[in-house]
Amino acid sequence: MSQPDEQTFAAAPSHGWIWPLLLGVFGLVLVVTAMVPETPSWGQLAIGGLLTVLGLVPAFAGSRVTYAGSSTQLHMSAFPLVNDVVPVSEIRSISRVDLQPTVWASIRFPGLALRRVRYVDVGPVSMCATRAASDILLLETDRGRFGVTPRDERAFIEALSRAGVSAGG
């Protein structure tokens, strides 16, 4: 539900959604080719279906990353995978950082970081970002850390500052 003073911010541009889209298309090709013979290959059909879902859902979500802030809350969204709401009163600080993903966390689609990602330097971060490691706005909150990548960083930080959040940190 939108609030009267709510301001929406687009995410920084990224082509990160292309990689999962390609995976989804590859999965669709497997599904179609599995059904061409008279006796379908059920294994190929299952793998193709799985790759299609694992590719198309992140591609859809990655192309729809937005942030909506008001004087009371910050809503981070990449529908249908991320839907985080943080009360502004719980945000202790915001700072621009470069993060170092763990080995396992680095095995992901480039140009897209959604949900919980573990970093060597700061631990787990709830990401809703179009970059995985560089130039991340890190929000320190009572609930943990959140990483975002708004297109207009200055306006995003100013909006949070007007709501009482300390920039820098």
Side-chain angles (χ1 to χ4, degrees):
M1 185 161 132
S2 103
Q3 298 183 11
D5 64 341
E6 187 173 83
Q7 192 174 359
T8 301
F9 300 91
S14 169
H15 297 296
W17 57 271
I18 292 173
W19 297 106
L21 178 66
L22 292 175
L23 179 65
V25 169
F26 177 69
L28 284 174
V29 168
L30 286 178
V31 167
V32 170
T33 59
M35 297 183 346
V36 170
E38 288 192 23
T39 54
S41 168
W42 296 109
Q44 182 179 341
L45 193 61
I47 291 170
L50 180 65
L51 290 178
T52 300
V53 171
L54 290 176
L56 295 183
V57 171
F60 181 80
S63 66
R64 285 161 178 73
V65 176
T66 59
Y67 316 105
S70 71
S71 59
T72 59
Q73 68 182 18
L74 174 63
H75 180 213
M76 298 160 279
S77 176
F79 180 80
L81 295 178
V82 178
N83 188 28
D84 293 328
V85 178
V86 177
V88 170
S89 61
E90 292 184 11
I91 301 174
R92 293 190 302 263
S93 68
I94 182 169
S95 56
R96 190 171 198 240
V97 297
D98 289 335
L99 300 171
Q100 182 182 357
T102 62
V103 172
W104 287 111
S106 65
I107 302 171
R108 57 187 320 109
F109 296 122
L112 192 57
L114 301 174
R115 304 189 57 86
R116 193 173 182 88
V117 179
R118 186 163 290 283
Y119 292 95
V120 172
D121 38 359
V122 296
V125 178
S126 294
M127 298 293 287
C128 185
T130 53
R131 292 185 294 268
S134 62
D135 299 327
I136 305 295
L137 288 183
L138 189 66
L139 308 171
E140 298 278 348
T141 75
D142 295 342
R143 299 178 191 189
R145 295 179 178 95
F146 292 84
V148 296
T149 53
R151 178 182 307 220
D152 188 348
E153 282 186 18
R154 188 174 353 159
F156 182 83
I157 292 170
E158 285 173 3
L160 287 177
S161 294
R162 282 192 304 274
V165 176
S166 166

PDB file of all heavy atoms in Angstrom, residues 13 23 41 57-58 63 65 70-71 89-90 99-100 115 128 162:
ATOM      1  N   PRO A  13      20.850   0.552 -13.922  1.00  0.00           N
ATOM      2  CA  PRO A  13      20.721  -0.326 -15.099  1.00  0.00           C
ATOM      3  C   PRO A  13      21.661  -1.530 -15.016  1.00  0.00           C
ATOM      4  O   PRO A  13      22.771  -1.428 -14.507  1.00  0.00           O
ATOM      5  CB  PRO A  13      21.090   0.575 -16.271  1.00  0.00           C
ATOM      6  CG  PRO A  13      21.518   1.871 -15.721  1.00  0.00           C
ATOM      7  CD  PRO A  13      21.322   1.870 -14.250  1.00  0.00           C
ATOM      8  N   LEU A  23      19.237 -19.001 -19.851  1.00  0.00           N
ATOM      9  CA  LEU A  23      19.077 -20.313 -19.218  1.00  0.00           C
ATOM     10  C   LEU A  23      17.635 -20.805 -19.388  1.00  0.00           C
ATOM     11  O   LEU A  23      17.400 -21.970 -19.705  1.00  0.00           O
ATOM     12  CB  LEU A  23      19.444 -20.246 -17.736  1.00  0.00           C
ATOM     13  CG  LEU A  23      19.304 -21.538 -16.945  1.00  0.00           C
ATOM     14  CD1 LEU A  23      20.292 -22.591 -17.449  1.00  0.00           C
ATOM     15  CD2 LEU A  23      19.506 -21.279 -15.465  1.00  0.00           C
ATOM     16  N   SER A  41      11.329 -37.992 -23.914  1.00  0.00           N
ATOM     17  CA  SER A  41      12.381 -38.238 -22.936  1.00  0.00           C
ATOM     18  C   SER A  41      11.993 -37.516 -21.647  1.00  0.00           C
ATOM     19  O   SER A  41      12.105 -36.299 -21.546  1.00  0.00           O
ATOM     20  CB  SER A  41      13.716 -37.710 -23.461  1.00  0.00           C
ATOM     21  OG  SER A  41      14.673 -37.698 -22.437  1.00  0.00           O
ATOM     22  N   VAL A  57      12.216 -17.145 -13.861  1.00  0.00           N
ATOM     23  CA  VAL A  57      11.793 -16.425 -12.652  1.00  0.00           C
ATOM     24  C   VAL A  57      12.828 -15.359 -12.260  1.00  0.00           C
ATOM     25  O   VAL A  57      12.469 -14.194 -12.062  1.00  0.00           O
ATOM     26  CB  VAL A  57      11.477 -17.396 -11.491  1.00  0.00           C
ATOM     27  CG1 VAL A  57      11.262 -16.642 -10.190  1.00  0.00           C
ATOM     28  CG2 VAL A  57      10.246 -18.224 -11.822  1.00  0.00           C
ATOM     29  N   PRO A  58      14.139 -15.679 -12.156  1.00  0.00           N
ATOM     30  CA  PRO A  58      15.109 -14.619 -11.852  1.00  0.00           C
ATOM     31  C   PRO A  58      15.196 -13.566 -12.957  1.00  0.00           C
ATOM     32  O   PRO A  58      15.413 -12.387 -12.672  1.00  0.00           O
ATOM     33  CB  PRO A  58      16.442 -15.349 -11.706  1.00  0.00           C
ATOM     34  CG  PRO A  58      16.097 -16.755 -11.448  1.00  0.00           C
ATOM     35  CD  PRO A  58      14.777 -16.998 -12.122  1.00  0.00           C
ATOM     36  N   SER A  63      14.566  -7.910 -13.830  1.00  0.00           N
ATOM     37  CA  SER A  63      14.212  -6.776 -14.678  1.00  0.00           C
ATOM     38  C   SER A  63      13.215  -5.849 -13.991  1.00  0.00           C
ATOM     39  O   SER A  63      12.826  -4.842 -14.553  1.00  0.00           O
ATOM     40  CB  SER A  63      13.633  -7.280 -16.003  1.00  0.00           C
ATOM     41  OG  SER A  63      12.408  -7.941 -15.785  1.00  0.00           O
ATOM     42  N   VAL A  65      13.492  -4.637 -10.476  1.00  0.00           N
ATOM     43  CA  VAL A  65      13.995  -4.217  -9.164  1.00  0.00           C
ATOM     44  C   VAL A  65      13.634  -2.749  -8.931  1.00  0.00           C
ATOM     45  O   VAL A  65      13.968  -1.886  -9.740  1.00  0.00           O
ATOM     46  CB  VAL A  65      15.528  -4.410  -9.065  1.00  0.00           C
ATOM     47  CG1 VAL A  65      16.063  -3.895  -7.741  1.00  0.00           C
ATOM     48  CG2 VAL A  65      15.894  -5.877  -9.253  1.00  0.00           C
ATOM     49  N   SER A  70       9.390   5.994   2.056  1.00  0.00           N
ATOM     50  CA  SER A  70       8.537   7.029   2.623  1.00  0.00           C
ATOM     51  C   SER A  70       9.166   7.469   3.941  1.00  0.00           C
ATOM     52  O   SER A  70      10.252   7.009   4.296  1.00  0.00           O
ATOM     53  CB  SER A  70       7.117   6.493   2.855  1.00  0.00           C
ATOM     54  OG  SER A  70       7.111   5.573   3.925  1.00  0.00           O
ATOM     55  N   SER A  71       8.484   8.316   4.679  1.00  0.00           N
ATOM     56  CA  SER A  71       9.025   8.767   5.955  1.00  0.00           C
ATOM     57  C   SER A  71       9.003   7.660   7.009  1.00  0.00           C
ATOM     58  O   SER A  71       9.666   7.768   8.033  1.00  0.00           O
ATOM     59  CB  SER A  71       8.242   9.982   6.463  1.00  0.00           C
ATOM     60  OG  SER A  71       6.880   9.629   6.619  1.00  0.00           O
ATOM     61  N   SER A  89      12.818   3.765  10.884  1.00  0.00           N
ATOM     62  CA  SER A  89      13.332   3.930  12.250  1.00  0.00           C
ATOM     63  C   SER A  89      14.364   2.863  12.626  1.00  0.00           C
ATOM     64  O   SER A  89      15.148   3.056  13.551  1.00  0.00           O
ATOM     65  CB  SER A  89      12.184   3.907  13.253  1.00  0.00           C
ATOM     66  OG  SER A  89      11.501   2.663  13.185  1.00  0.00           O
ATOM     67  N   GLU A  90      14.382   1.737  11.892  1.00  0.00           N
ATOM     68  CA  GLU A  90      15.341   0.667  12.185  1.00  0.00           C
ATOM     69  C   GLU A  90      16.633   0.785  11.377  1.00  0.00           C
ATOM     70  O   GLU A  90      17.570   0.028  11.618  1.00  0.00           O
ATOM     71  CB  GLU A  90      14.701  -0.697  11.909  1.00  0.00           C
ATOM     72  CG  GLU A  90      13.588  -1.041  12.869  1.00  0.00           C
ATOM     73  CD  GLU A  90      13.037  -2.436  12.650  1.00  0.00           C
ATOM     74  OE1 GLU A  90      13.649  -3.219  11.895  1.00  0.00           O
ATOM     75  OE2 GLU A  90      11.989  -2.745  13.244  1.00  0.00           O
ATOM     76  N   LEU A  99      31.846  -4.963  -1.852  1.00  0.00           N
ATOM     77  CA  LEU A  99      31.797  -6.173  -1.046  1.00  0.00           C
ATOM     78  C   LEU A  99      32.559  -7.304  -1.720  1.00  0.00           C
ATOM     79  O   LEU A  99      32.733  -7.310  -2.932  1.00  0.00           O
ATOM     80  CB  LEU A  99      30.340  -6.591  -0.833  1.00  0.00           C
ATOM     81  CG  LEU A  99      29.458  -5.571  -0.126  1.00  0.00           C
ATOM     82  CD1 LEU A  99      27.992  -6.010  -0.166  1.00  0.00           C
ATOM     83  CD2 LEU A  99      29.910  -5.372   1.300  1.00  0.00           C
ATOM     84  N   GLN A 100      32.998  -8.260  -0.916  1.00  0.00           N
ATOM     85  CA  GLN A 100      33.716  -9.422  -1.443  1.00  0.00           C
ATOM     86  C   GLN A 100      32.879 -10.674  -1.175  1.00  0.00           C
ATOM     87  O   GLN A 100      32.784 -11.134  -0.047  1.00  0.00           O
ATOM     88  CB  GLN A 100      35.081  -9.544  -0.771  1.00  0.00           C
ATOM     89  CG  GLN A 100      35.885 -10.690  -1.307  1.00  0.00           C
ATOM     90  CD  GLN A 100      37.224 -10.821  -0.589  1.00  0.00           C
ATOM     91  OE1 GLN A 100      37.579 -10.022   0.271  1.00  0.00           O
ATOM     92  NE2 GLN A 100      37.957 -11.858  -0.942  1.00  0.00           N
ATOM     93  N   ARG A 115      18.002 -11.692  -2.854  1.00  0.00           N
ATOM     94  CA  ARG A 115      17.854 -12.470  -1.630  1.00  0.00           C
ATOM     95  C   ARG A 115      19.141 -12.460  -0.806  1.00  0.00           C
ATOM     96  O   ARG A 115      19.968 -11.595  -0.949  1.00  0.00           O
ATOM     97  CB  ARG A 115      17.325 -13.861  -1.936  1.00  0.00           C
ATOM     98  CG  ARG A 115      15.997 -13.784  -2.712  1.00  0.00           C
ATOM     99  CD  ARG A 115      15.279 -15.064  -2.901  1.00  0.00           C
ATOM    100  NE  ARG A 115      14.951 -15.800  -1.708  1.00  0.00           N
ATOM    101  CZ  ARG A 115      13.863 -15.630  -0.959  1.00  0.00           C
ATOM    102  NH1 ARG A 115      13.004 -14.704  -1.290  1.00  0.00           N
ATOM    103  NH2 ARG A 115      13.630 -16.375   0.088  1.00  0.00           N
ATOM    104  N   CYS A 128      18.854  -6.805  -2.889  1.00  0.00           N
ATOM    105  CA  CYS A 128      17.855  -6.506  -3.897  1.00  0.00           C
ATOM    106  C   CYS A 128      18.562  -5.520  -4.819  1.00  0.00           C
ATOM    107  O   CYS A 128      18.351  -4.312  -4.758  1.00  0.00           O
ATOM    108  CB  CYS A 128      16.605  -5.899  -3.265  1.00  0.00           C
ATOM    109  SG  CYS A 128      15.276  -5.625  -4.445  1.00  0.00           S
ATOM    110  N   ARG A 162      16.231  12.682   4.838  1.00  0.00           N
ATOM    111  CA  ARG A 162      15.069  13.485   5.271  1.00  0.00           C
ATOM    112  C   ARG A 162      14.204  12.713   6.275  1.00  0.00           C
ATOM    113  O   ARG A 162      13.545  13.292   7.124  1.00  0.00           O
ATOM    114  CB  ARG A 162      14.213  13.898   4.078  1.00  0.00           C
ATOM    115  CG  ARG A 162      14.775  15.051   3.286  1.00  0.00           C
ATOM    116  CD  ARG A 162      13.765  15.621   2.304  1.00  0.00           C
ATOM    117  NE  ARG A 162      13.229  14.633   1.372  1.00  0.00           N
ATOM    118  CZ  ARG A 162      13.808  14.285   0.220  1.00  0.00           C
ATOM    119  NH1 ARG A 162      14.940  14.859  -0.160  1.00  0.00           N
ATOM    120  NH2 ARG A 162      13.245  13.378  -0.556  1.00  0.00           N
TER     121      ARG A 162
END
